[in-house]
Amino acid sequence: IEMENVHLAVEEEDLYSGYNDYNPTFDSEELENDVGFQQAVRTSHGRRPPARVPVASSMGRPMTGAVQDGAARPMTAVRAAGYTSSMTRGSTFDPLGQSRGPAAPLEAKNEDTPEEKIKILEKKVNELIEESCMAQSTGALQLALEKAKEAGRKERTLVRHREKSGNGDHINLDLTYSVLLNLANQYANNEMFPEALNSYQVIVRNKMFSNAGRLKVNMANIYVRQKSYPKAIKFYRMALDQISNAHKEMRIKIMQNIGVVFVRMGQYSDAITSFEHIMSESPNVKTGFNLILCYYAIGDRERMKKAFQKLISVPLGVDDEDKYIPSSDESDSELVIEAIKNDKLHQMERDLKVLAEKYIMTAAKLIAPAIETSFATGFDWCVDMVKSSQYVELANDLEINKAISYLRQKDFNQAVETLKTFEKKDSRVKSAAATNLSFLYFLEKDYEQADRYADLAMTADRYNPAALINKGNTVFIKQDHEKAAEFYKEALRNDSSCTEALYNLGLTYKRLNRLEEALDCFLKLHAILRNSAQVMYQLTTLYELLEDPQQAIEWLIQVLSVTHTDPRALAKLGELYDGEGDKSQALQYYYESFRYFPSNMDVIEWLGAYYIETHFCEKAIQYFERATLIQPAQVKWQLMVASCYRRSGNYQKALETYKDIHRRFPENVECLRFLVRLCTDMGLKDVQEYATKLKKAEKMKEIREQRVKAGREGSARSRREGREGSADAGHGNTKGERLSAKMRSLPGSNEPYEANSPKEIDASYVDPLGPQTERPKTGAKKRVEGDDFADEELGDDLLPE
């Protein structure tokens, strides 16, 4: 090969030269000594935009991305951004083109285009649906309906916009479905059932909405609320046909609804068919309980037993409680267990277990008398079944309920015998049984036994508030109020919501005359039991004792707002108004009390005396005649009737009444005096006869009074001699006391015929002739709770469920 034909390549420019060259600005090793850089780090100098302009390369070519003559040179796809072969030391490195200044602003969105309007409307509709749902969740049902209606209007506007813009085929079906469904729900929540049904029909009839058939369940629920049970059954079955077998849980719920509707219709055999199918496919405690109720309704004893066995064998799907007990000493394990011990899942498990136990207890109490010849035998069968099931712990509670059922049947002996069998059981059951026994003996006023079982209950469980209350009650009976208060306080420390302990503590303070503390207790109790008439009445009596009648009246009005027809409360309010000098209000409440209970002597006496005082004696007659019917042996009421006739000017009727009284009470001096006076005034011939009888009666009365006086002296002497050992004086004393008691029961006769001094009517009757200057101070006497325990019963200790 000849060398002439070989041509050497001309040395061209190196395309990749300059990559090893670098700008001294990026020499990181020298940054610590760079004064400018250090100043930028310490100040805001480094955040300022660069002021330098990129210079042209040594070849006269503009740099990549640099601006030249107002136009940016496009970046090439070959070279790396910001690098050129001619870059030398000192040239500017600006790969992002920051030296060109800020970028041009984005184009403004044109909201006038149809697409943008549609997007804005869709967003607004979704926002309205969300607001409607939020309003419903907070209970603002009317606002939720308004938002749902507005969403419907916006959605129709949206559809019209789509049709105008030619996009009618692209209607958002999901949005339409959401709007209609939310509107129907809000109609139903506001009990506008026809409108709700129409909205559901729009969805169901539209073939474009998939799975709309299940909304027939909602329609059936509305028919149930309207009590249109046949239509509800029809729609439940239509929904059942349109839901596939893959949705097993929903199908079970619909069948459960069908069974419940059949129960409401009284078609128990059809309901049993639905419930039996559920128990065979997916058993649950609620359906099992409903099945027992249906068998009980048709009286099928054997199937009741089988259904009860099915009920107690239903798996709850709840894990064993042992998993919440730490199994090792590892701190991490303890922290995990502590975290899950009261979480939502554990609370749900507990609620499910409590519900199952409630259904089992109720079912046992219901079927026990029906499945066997006697209640006890049936309950024992239920207890045996429970003992062999997963609810072994429930057996003891069932037996305690057996005792309580005996109580409801008024069979106290059997209840006591049943409860006594628990004395050797574990502490929880023993405490519950002893608490009930203590309560029973307390009601029977066998306070020694009540005290013994209260002690037993406290020994078994010192933190049982019911046991502490029973113990406090027995101590209260023994008048040891200080100690009783301590037991009630301890019960409140163990259970601050124990209303019985708080009520009893208030009564105890009242007995101890610590009225402010008692008031504090009952005010706290009123905050818990807002409508308790007992609590409000106690507040009334306390304010009365504290001499604050206005507050007492306010509380008593609240009592009457709860118990409108309580005659005792009405009479008490009349008494308080009378004490305040408001006679018109007092008359109103006394009259209401008389209307509801026309046998209260205090009320009758006040009303009669009021009408005598106001000179309406004709009206007073009806009240004193009522008193005569209630207490026919009391002469004073008949004398008052005669007095009213005389005061009203009906002397003939007054004379007849006095004569009738004289026939029934011939020794009554007051009656004879009025007969003498009336016969004299009317010029009758019977004056002498009645005057003779009057003298004889006065003489007999004087003799009796002397005997009473002698008897009292003899009684005093016999007491003195009895202390000295005289037996004969004791016999005289007894006889004297008998005479004294008898004489005290007779009406007094030591008053002058003309008497102007005002007197109590229920003292010995004296009826002054002529106008009265002051009415007798009669009426319902102010009642202050005495020492009789029966006046203020302690709050009953509740039997455990």
Side-chain angles (χ1 to χ4, degrees):
I1 299 173
E2 294 180 1
M3 292 299 292
E4 289 88 14
N5 297 327
V6 178
H7 301 280
L8 297 175
V10 179
E11 185 177 353
E12 296 179 357
E13 179 184 357
D14 184 4
L15 295 176
Y16 299 99
S17 64
Y19 280 102
N20 292 327
D21 299 332
Y22 64 95
N23 194 314
T25 306
F26 300 99
D27 187 0
S28 59
E29 295 179 0
E30 296 296 326
L31 287 178
E32 292 182 3
N33 301 322
D34 190 334
V35 178
F37 178 79
Q38 293 299 329
Q39 182 184 0
V41 170
R42 287 194 298 270
T43 65
S44 61
H45 183 77
R47 290 196 293 271
R48 297 174 185 171
R52 291 178 295 174
V53 179
V55 296
S57 65
S58 58
M59 300 294 295
R61 228 173 51 186
M63 292 178 58
T64 306
V67 179
Q68 190 173 16
D69 297 331
R73 177 179 176 274
M75 290 189 178
T76 62
V78 177
R79 294 183 181 180
Y83 292 94
T84 62
S85 58
S86 61
M87 183 176 285
T88 58
R89 290 180 180 271
S91 62
T92 305
F93 178 76
D94 187 16
L96 299 179
Q98 293 178 357
S99 61
R100 289 178 294 172
L106 296 173
E107 289 185 14
K109 187 184 291 185
N110 188 2
E111 295 185 1
D112 294 332
T113 61
E115 290 80 6
E116 287 302 323
K117 287 183 178 179
I118 288 169
K119 285 181 182 179
I120 292 169
L121 277 172
E122 280 188 352
K123 185 179 180 183
K124 182 63 177 174
V125 171
N126 280 312
E127 287 174 355
L128 286 168
I129 293 173
E130 289 177 9
E131 288 173 12
S132 175
C133 295
M134 291 300 293
Q136 179 196 341
S137 66
T138 58
L141 300 180
Q142 189 63 38
L143 177 63
L145 179 60
E146 292 299 326
K147 293 290 183 183
K149 287 179 179 178
E150 191 178 348
R153 289 192 292 269
K154 291 285 184 185
E155 196 271 336
R156 286 192 292 275
T157 305
L158 172 63
V159 171
R160 286 196 296 270
H161 271 289
R162 283 188 184 278
E163 290 173 350
K164 283 182 181 178
S165 62
N167 294 330
D169 297 336
H170 298 87
I171 293 174
N172 190 342
L173 286 175
D174 290 339
L175 186 63
T176 307
Y177 182 87
S178 300
V179 168
L180 289 171
L181 179 59
N182 182 54
L183 182 61
N185 287 338
Q186 301 310 332
Y187 276 133
N189 291 334
N190 284 273
E191 298 185 358
M192 299 169 69
F193 298 129
E195 293 85 350
L197 290 170
N198 289 337
S199 298
Y200 282 126
Q201 286 283 10
V202 171
I203 303 173
V204 170
R205 288 176 181 170
N206 194 330
K207 302 297 182 185
M208 299 177 71
F209 295 136
S210 59
N211 298 323
R214 67 181 58 191
L215 291 182
K216 288 180 180 176
V217 175
N218 295 24
M219 299 174 73
N221 290 342
I222 291 175
Y223 284 125
V224 170
R225 293 173 71 179
Q226 291 181 322
K227 297 185 179 180
S228 301
Y229 299 129
K231 280 189 177 180
I233 295 286
K234 175 185 172 183
F235 274 84
Y236 279 134
R237 285 177 170 165
M238 288 168 65
L240 205 60
D241 292 340
Q242 295 184 12
I243 294 174
S244 67
N245 292 327
H247 300 91
K248 182 179 177 182
E249 188 175 347
M250 178 170 280
R251 290 179 64 84
I252 290 294
K253 287 182 178 178
I254 294 173
M255 291 197 70
Q256 194 165 331
N257 286 4
I258 291 172
V260 171
V261 174
F262 275 131
V263 169
R264 292 190 179 185
M265 294 170 69
Q267 299 179 17
Y268 299 112
S269 56
D270 294 324
I272 286 169
T273 304
S274 295
F275 292 143
E276 282 182 341
H277 176 76
I278 296 170
M279 291 301 286
S280 62
E281 292 290 327
S282 176
N284 61 79
V285 289
K286 190 173 184 179
T287 304
F289 179 69
N290 288 340
L291 187 59
I292 290 173
L293 292 179
C294 291
Y295 288 142
Y296 180 81
I298 63 174
D300 194 329
R301 181 179 299 181
E302 291 303 319
R303 290 166 88 181
M304 267 191 269
K305 287 184 174 181
K306 289 178 182 177
F308 186 78
Q309 289 172 324
K310 282 183 181 178
L311 176 63
I312 60 177
S313 61
V314 170
L316 293 179
V318 176
D319 291 333
D320 192 2
E321 291 286 328
D322 292 342
K323 74 176 183 181
Y324 298 108
I325 301 172
S327 56
S328 64
D329 295 334
E330 296 179 8
S331 59
D332 293 345
S333 173
E334 289 182 7
L335 287 173
V336 170
I337 289 169
E338 194 64 34
I340 66 173
K341 194 177 287 184
N342 283 310
D343 63 355
K344 293 281 182 68
L345 180 60
H346 191 205
Q347 288 173 11
M348 188 189 75
E349 290 176 348
R350 278 203 304 262
D351 292 343
L352 183 61
K353 197 170 181 182
V354 167
L355 183 67
E357 290 176 356
K358 177 186 174 184
Y359 283 141
I360 292 167
M361 298 279 270
T362 309
K365 287 186 283 185
L366 179 70
I367 68 173
I371 57 177
E372 298 292 345
T373 52
S374 69
F375 164 78
T377 313
F379 221 104
D380 289 339
W381 180 87
C382 293
V383 170
D384 291 339
M385 289 297 104
V386 170
K387 283 181 178 176
S388 60
S389 72
Q390 58 182 324
Y391 301 99
V392 183
E393 297 175 356
L394 203 58
N396 289 327
D397 293 337
L398 265 175
E399 291 197 51
I400 288 179
N401 269 273
K402 178 182 174 184
I404 295 169
S405 300
Y406 277 129
L407 286 179
R408 292 197 176 100
Q409 296 172 6
K410 302 290 191 271
D411 192 347
F412 295 103
N413 293 330
Q414 284 287 350
V416 170
E417 290 302 317
T418 306
L419 290 169
K420 282 183 177 178
T421 59
F422 289 96
E423 289 191 33
K424 295 181 180 179
K425 299 272 185 175
D426 63 87
S427 60
R428 185 185 66 84
V429 180
K430 187 195 298 183
S431 180
T435 300
N436 283 286
L437 282 169
S438 175
F439 180 57
L440 280 174
Y441 282 122
F442 185 83
L443 292 180
E444 293 179 351
K445 298 188 177 179
D446 187 349
Y447 300 124
E448 290 185 8
Q449 286 281 51
D451 191 41
R452 187 172 79 82
Y453 279 103
D455 287 334
L456 184 63
M458 287 167 59
T459 305
D461 183 4
R462 182 70 191 187
Y463 299 101
N464 184 352
L468 291 163
I469 291 170
N470 286 342
K471 180 64 178 175
N473 291 354
T474 58
V475 175
F476 189 102
I477 289 297
K478 296 174 184 176
Q479 304 295 321
D480 191 353
H481 298 125
E482 292 285 356
K483 195 172 182 182
E486 290 303 319
F487 282 114
Y488 297 141
K489 285 178 187 175
E490 189 175 351
L492 283 169
R493 282 195 292 271
N494 293 334
D495 181 6
S496 58
S497 63
C498 186
T499 54
E500 294 82 9
L502 193 55
Y503 187 92
N504 292 356
L505 183 62
L507 287 182
T508 308
Y509 283 142
K510 189 176 174 184
R511 289 294 176 87
L512 292 168
N513 204 32
R514 291 156 64 174
L515 300 180
E516 293 292 344
E517 292 173 82
L519 189 65
D520 186 50
C521 288
F522 285 115
L523 286 172
K524 286 179 182 175
L525 198 57
H526 176 67
I528 302 169
L529 307 173
R530 302 295 300 181
N531 295 320
S532 172
Q534 273 185 304
V535 173
M536 290 187 282
Y537 192 81
Q538 289 294 339
L539 286 166
T540 300
T541 58
L542 282 168
Y543 276 115
E544 188 182 7
L545 292 171
L546 288 166
E547 299 179 356
D548 189 349
Q550 287 301 324
Q551 280 286 354
I553 287 170
E554 289 296 326
W555 281 107
L556 202 48
I557 288 171
Q558 288 195 45
V559 172
L560 289 171
S561 69
V562 178
T563 56
H564 311 284
T565 60
D566 188 334
R568 184 181 173 189
L570 287 164
K572 185 69 178 176
L573 191 54
E575 179 188 330
L576 289 170
Y577 274 120
D578 189 24
E580 289 293 288
D582 192 343
K583 298 292 183 185
S584 60
Q585 286 280 31
L587 174 64
Q588 177 189 341
Y589 287 109
Y590 271 123
Y591 178 75
E592 287 294 309
S593 177
F594 174 79
R595 195 161 64 89
Y596 290 118
F597 183 61
S599 301
N600 187 329
M601 294 304 300
D602 289 337
V603 174
I604 292 170
E605 188 176 350
W606 190 93
L607 287 167
Y610 172 81
Y611 284 117
I612 288 175
E613 180 189 13
T614 53
H615 306 294
F616 289 102
C617 298
E618 297 87 349
K619 286 190 176 182
I621 290 171
Q622 61 175 317
Y623 296 107
F624 290 124
E625 284 180 343
R626 170 76 60 162
T628 302
L629 292 173
I630 297 169
Q631 295 180 348
Q634 287 285 343
V635 68
K636 63 180 180 180
W637 306 121
Q638 299 176 49
L639 289 169
M640 285 304 301
V641 172
S643 173
C644 290
Y645 281 125
R646 180 176 50 76
R647 286 166 178 269
S648 60
N650 193 343
Y651 296 111
Q652 188 60 42
K653 190 70 176 175
L655 182 62
E656 291 174 7
T657 308
Y658 280 126
K659 284 181 178 180
D660 186 54
I661 295 169
H662 177 63
R663 280 192 297 272
R664 298 179 62 190
F665 303 95
E667 296 182 354
N668 186 270
V669 176
E670 284 80 4
C671 179
L672 286 167
R673 285 176 182 167
F674 285 117
L675 279 169
V676 170
R677 179 62 182 270
L678 276 173
C679 289
T680 303
D681 292 344
M682 295 172 72
L684 300 177
K685 298 177 182 179
D686 299 334
V687 175
Q688 193 59 43
E689 178 188 350
Y690 290 124
T692 306
K693 288 181 178 179
L694 177 59
K695 288 179 182 178
K696 190 184 290 185
E698 286 177 341
K699 191 173 182 181
M700 288 297 295
K701 188 174 182 179
E702 188 178 348
I703 292 169
R704 282 197 298 268
E705 288 175 355
Q706 288 175 357
R707 286 178 180 174
V708 170
K709 186 177 179 182
R712 287 174 180 169
E713 291 174 356
S715 175
R717 187 169 57 253
S718 65
R719 282 197 295 271
R720 288 196 301 272
E721 291 175 357
R723 285 193 292 268
E724 296 169 3
S726 172
D728 293 336
H731 179 70
N733 176 26
T734 306
K735 185 176 179 182
E737 285 180 351
R738 281 203 301 269
L739 282 170
S740 173
K742 184 176 180 183
M743 292 307 298
R744 281 199 301 273
S745 68
L746 294 171
S749 61
N750 57 348
E751 297 294 334
Y753 179 56
E754 293 288 342
N756 292 322
S757 59
K759 299 181 63 61
E760 295 276 359
I761 290 178
D762 55 354
S764 62
Y765 172 78
V766 175
D767 180 27
L769 290 174
Q772 287 184 325
T773 56
E774 185 180 350
R775 71 174 284 257
K777 294 181 181 177
T778 61
K781 299 169 188 61
K782 185 177 287 187
R783 287 187 52 145
V784 179
E785 304 287 352
D787 293 330
D788 185 6
F789 181 68
D791 285 348
E792 301 170 315
E793 291 186 3
L794 293 171
D796 289 343
D797 179 21
L798 302 179
L799 294 173
E801 289 294 331

